[in-house]
Amino acid sequence: METTLLEPSKWEQFQAGWELFRDPILCALIAGCVLGFLSVYVVLRRMVFVSAAVTNTAGLGVALAFFAEIHLGVHVDPLVGAVVLSVAATLLLMVEPSHLRLSRESLLGCAFAFAGGAAILVGDRIAQEAHDIQGILFGTAVLVTPDQLHAVAVAGAVLMVLHLWWYRGITFVSFDRVGATVQGLPVRLLDTVLMVSIGIMVGVCARALGALPVFAFSTLSAIAALVLDLRLPWTFFTATVLGGIAGAGGYLFAYVYDFPVGGSQTVLSGVLVLLMMLVRLVRLPFQRKA
């Protein structure tokens, strides 16, 4: 009797290897949700290029950590390198640039270009870790270690609790600084909390997933949600959900069609923006009648 051996489908292979894929999918889901929530502040405060500069700086922090261990014999955890430099970058970008005769855009451009170029130069001197550097900058890493998942989960949980607790204050300061000052809110403290939160989450997530998808989660999620013209709380909720879909969905898409993970997550974030634009176009006639 003739027998035929059928190759298992992609879905069957995915189910069989769930233990292997669980950590990166959970990590992408958490990162996408938390960065999606923060992305509303990034976009509405016109800080998109702040996010780009900080993600590049996180990549430089990881590259410098590898460089210190290989060439200087000093052990620095790459996660620490990413977080320290990304938080330092966010604090630097809070400095009023007019004191230096610079515009905000000039300062952002300098930070973005310098961090990106320096990461490439440092990466060129640590050939042993070239694959890791490539993964961090462009999000080509397929696996996530338990330590990286733990760091993303803890940072995400702490920041979400803090931001939901201080939601009214941070949103008030973000969109009406004068009114917040008149009301006696600690404007500088709330600003610093927001910027440091973005720096920490970008640094932790860039180490695990790569700078490219982290930039997409922290900008495109909010752009997609804002297209729908919802009330502000629903905009935060929608951006959080879309970020999670882009993170986990992008990983599944990359697995099924054999594409790089970071590129898939970034492209899916862009596709979600297009879908939300389509939804808005479909809703427009009904809104006009109402």
Side-chain angles (χ1 to χ4, degrees):
M1 180 177 175
E2 187 176 331
T3 59
T4 304
L5 294 178
L6 294 177
E7 184 179 345
S9 67
K10 280 282 187 180
W11 178 244
E12 289 170 334
Q13 293 176 31
F14 179 79
Q15 287 180 306
W18 169 244
E19 291 292 325
L20 183 65
F21 303 125
R22 181 189 57 201
D23 284 2
I25 289 179
L26 282 176
C27 187
L29 179 66
I30 297 169
C33 287
V34 180
L35 289 171
F37 180 91
L38 295 174
S39 69
V40 179
Y41 293 116
V42 171
V43 173
L44 287 182
R45 294 182 61 155
R46 300 182 179 180
M47 299 192 304
V48 169
F49 287 107
V50 170
S51 178
V54 173
T55 49
N56 261 9
T57 309
L60 174 61
V62 175
L64 286 174
F66 283 130
F67 184 90
E69 178 143 11
I70 293 170
H71 293 287
L72 305 177
V74 178
H75 175 69
V76 179
D77 191 316
L79 176 63
V80 174
V83 172
V84 168
L85 254 68
S86 56
V87 171
T90 55
L91 295 177
L92 174 66
L93 294 172
M94 288 179 67
V95 173
E96 180 51 57
S98 59
H99 299 315
L100 304 172
R101 292 183 177 276
L102 290 173
S103 65
R104 179 73 62 188
E105 289 74 16
S106 301
L107 189 61
L108 289 173
C110 288
F112 175 80
F114 175 81
I120 292 172
L121 292 183
V122 175
D124 187 64
R125 289 294 180 270
I126 47 177
Q128 300 95 316
E129 307 292 347
H131 180 72
D132 277 346
I133 298 297
Q134 192 78 0
I136 292 160
L137 292 178
F138 300 107
T140 57
V142 176
L143 300 179
V144 169
T145 66
D147 287 345
Q148 290 169 355
L149 172 61
H150 184 254
V152 170
V154 170
V158 170
L159 292 178
M160 282 305 298
V161 169
L162 178 64
H163 276 266
L164 291 176
W165 182 22
W166 288 7
Y167 172 76
R168 287 180 180 274
I170 294 176
T171 50
F172 196 4
V173 168
S174 295
F175 308 127
D176 186 1
R177 289 181 67 84
V178 175
T181 304
V182 171
Q183 292 291 325
L185 289 179
V187 174
R188 186 174 293 277
L189 172 64
L190 294 171
D191 258 349
T192 304
V193 167
L194 174 60
M195 296 300 284
V196 171
S197 300
I198 294 171
I200 290 174
M201 203 59 203
V202 165
V204 171
C205 295
R207 173 66 185 106
L209 302 176
L212 182 61
V214 167
F215 175 68
F217 299 155
S218 59
T219 54
L220 297 182
S221 305
I223 293 172
L226 288 166
V227 166
L228 297 177
D229 196 21
L230 303 170
R231 293 173 66 86
L232 192 57
W234 282 107
T235 301
F236 276 100
F237 176 77
T238 305
T240 303
V241 172
L242 292 177
I245 292 172
Y251 191 94
L252 288 173
F253 179 84
Y255 173 77
V256 172
Y257 295 102
D258 294 324
F259 281 118
V261 175
S264 299
Q265 292 168 329
T266 304
V267 169
L268 182 54
S269 297
V271 169
L272 289 174
V273 175
L274 296 176
L275 284 176
M276 295 306 109
M277 291 170 65
L278 185 61
V279 170
R280 181 179 173 81
L281 289 175
V282 171
R283 285 176 52 199
L284 269 180
F286 300 99
Q287 288 178 329
R288 285 173 182 164
K289 287 180 182 177

